[in-house]
């Protein structure tokens, strides 16, 4: 169910006073949208069940879909999750940064059960971006923060995307420019069989190199964000692996395939990842009723890009 428009949503440029206002709203139990290195997040106090419920209400997000808890450091994460050898190695290698670990939750960790969808595990990350890190410090709280958009829609990589999707549903957006990574974090579950739950900016190969073994694929139910079959979706039909556009399609190109817009004219996968959601927003706003996307190679970051595109086209 869509959330009612009950707020006058303000947008403030990132600075100390904007973070202080965001921290005040966090303390009052309200969610605020804020830049991270991956996508804009909708952050609220992860220890406050009503604040976490406000995230779900604003997004229209199903409550069986857990949230990622953002903390300031590995030491802070250890208060909420049990780290095995692989998890610690990955945290030391990639934190702060765009890697989320799904780990056993500690007994009585203080995190609202709604944030973990009642599971025995917790998804946790130490972000690198100055805005979200500033808010964690100013609020003094672990922050649950899914993408700041209506559930299932295109993820926001600019403050304008948040306003288009959640304007009237949340009180504040902190604008700190476009997100440098442009893709949601990689999600790994460690344990006897380490698994890739969601590809992202940290590649499976990079993770495997740290833990000394390849990753298995996800199995079973929803234990982390981004595992729904249909996700990141524009309002228009989306066709993949298109080398040219039909008359009614807006073509997003890549490399040698030119289009109305492009992920990367030079075929740079890092540039393509950063541009992915921005180009999808542009295509969704175009006059054409359908969208087509050029082929993207599966190597490296291409795996994460293709994961998002496949779920958007589902």
């Amino acid at each position: 169910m869509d959330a009612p428009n009950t707020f006058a949503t303000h947008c403030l440029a990132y600075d100390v006073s904007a973070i202080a206002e965001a921290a005040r709203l966090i303390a009052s139990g309200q969610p605020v949208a804020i830049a991270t290195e991956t996508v804009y997040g909708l952050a609220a106090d992860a220890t406050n069940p009503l604040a976490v419920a406000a995230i779900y209400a604003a997004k229209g997000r199903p409550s069986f879909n857990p949230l990622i808890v953002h903390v300031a450091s590995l030491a802070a994460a250890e208060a909420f999750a049990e780290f095995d050898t692989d998890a610690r190695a990955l945290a030391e290698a990639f934190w702060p940064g765009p890697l989320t670990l799904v780990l056993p939750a500690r007994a009585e960790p203080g995190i609202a059960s709604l944030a973990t969808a009642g599971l025995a595990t917790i998804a946790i990350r130490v972000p690198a971006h100055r805005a979200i890190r500033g808010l964690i410090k100013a609020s003094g709280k672990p922050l649950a923060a899914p993408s700041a958009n209506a559930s299932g829609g295109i993820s926001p990589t600019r403050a304008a995307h948040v306003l288009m999707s959640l304007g009237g549903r949340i009180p504040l957006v902190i604008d700190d420019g476009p997100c440098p990574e442009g893709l949601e974090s990689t999600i790994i579950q460690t344990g006897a069989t380490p698994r890739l739950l969601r590809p992202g900016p940290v590649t499976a190969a990079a993770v495997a190199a740290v833990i000394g073994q390849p990753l298995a694929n996800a199995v079973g139910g929803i234990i982390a964000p981004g595992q729904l079959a249909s996700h990141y979706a524009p309002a228009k039909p989306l066709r993949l692996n298109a080398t040219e556009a039909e008359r009614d399609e807006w073509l997003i190109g890549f490399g040698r395939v030119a289009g109305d817009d492009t992920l990367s004219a030079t075929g740079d996968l890092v540039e393509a990842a950063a541009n992915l959601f921005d180009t999808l927003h542009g295509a969704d706003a175009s006059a054409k009723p359908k969208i087509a996307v050029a082929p993207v190679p599966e190597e490296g970051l291409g795996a994460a890009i293709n994961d998002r595109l496949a779920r958007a086209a589902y």
Side-chain angles (χ1 to χ4, degrees), residues 1-7 9 11 33 39-42 54-61 146-173 231-235 277 281 284-285:
M1 180 182 297
D2 289 341
N5 290 347
T6 57
F7 290 96
T9 302
C11 186
V39 300
Y40 273 72
L42 185 58
I55 293 176
Y56 283 90
K59 287 177 62 69
R61 184 183 178 96
S147 58
N149 61 297
S151 185
I154 305 170
S155 296
T157 55
R158 298 176 183 269
H161 299 160
V162 180
L163 291 169
M164 285 189 296
S165 186
L166 296 182
R169 300 186 185 189
I170 59 175
L172 180 64
V173 181
H231 205 28
Y232 318 111
F277 292 129
H281 277 284
D284 219 20

Side-chain angles (χ1 to χ4, degrees), residues 105-144:
R106 290 196 178 277
E108 303 298 329
I111 299 297
S113 61
L114 187 59
T116 62
L119 299 171
T121 54
I122 184 171
I124 199 159
R125 179 166 92 88
V126 176
H129 196 282
R130 65 178 184 175
I132 183 71
R133 289 188 65 82
L135 185 54
I136 293 169
K137 181 178 180 180
S139 67
K141 297 291 185 179
L143 299 179

Side-chain angles (χ1 to χ4, degrees), residues 150-290:
S151 185
I154 305 170
S155 296
T157 55
R158 298 176 183 269
H161 299 160
V162 180
L163 291 169
M164 285 189 296
S165 186
L166 296 182
R169 300 186 185 189
I170 59 175
L172 180 64
V173 181
I174 301 296
D175 184 355
D176 199 16
C179 300
E181 296 289 352
L183 285 177
E184 297 86 354
S185 62
T186 304
I187 303 181
I188 303 295
Q189 183 176 33
T190 62
T193 304
R195 297 187 183 278
L196 176 65
L197 303 184
R198 181 176 72 185
V202 178
T203 66
V207 171
V210 170
I211 64 176
Q213 62 176 307
L215 295 167
N217 292 324
V219 294
I222 305 296
I223 61 171
Q227 291 188 292
L228 295 174
S230 178
H231 205 28
Y232 318 111
K236 299 174 180 178
L238 178 66
R239 181 169 67 94
L240 304 180
N241 299 314
T243 55
E244 58 183 26
E246 303 291 339
R247 292 182 62 183
D248 60 351
E249 290 178 330
W250 178 276
L251 178 61
I252 298 173
F254 177 79
R256 295 181 180 180
V257 178
D260 300 285
D261 197 354
T262 185
L263 295 172
S264 172
T266 61
D268 184 324
L269 289 172
V270 174
E271 181 183 23
N275 288 337
L276 176 61
F277 292 129
D278 205 22
T279 58
L280 283 174
H281 277 284
D284 219 20
S286 75
K288 296 292 180 68
K290 298 179 181 178

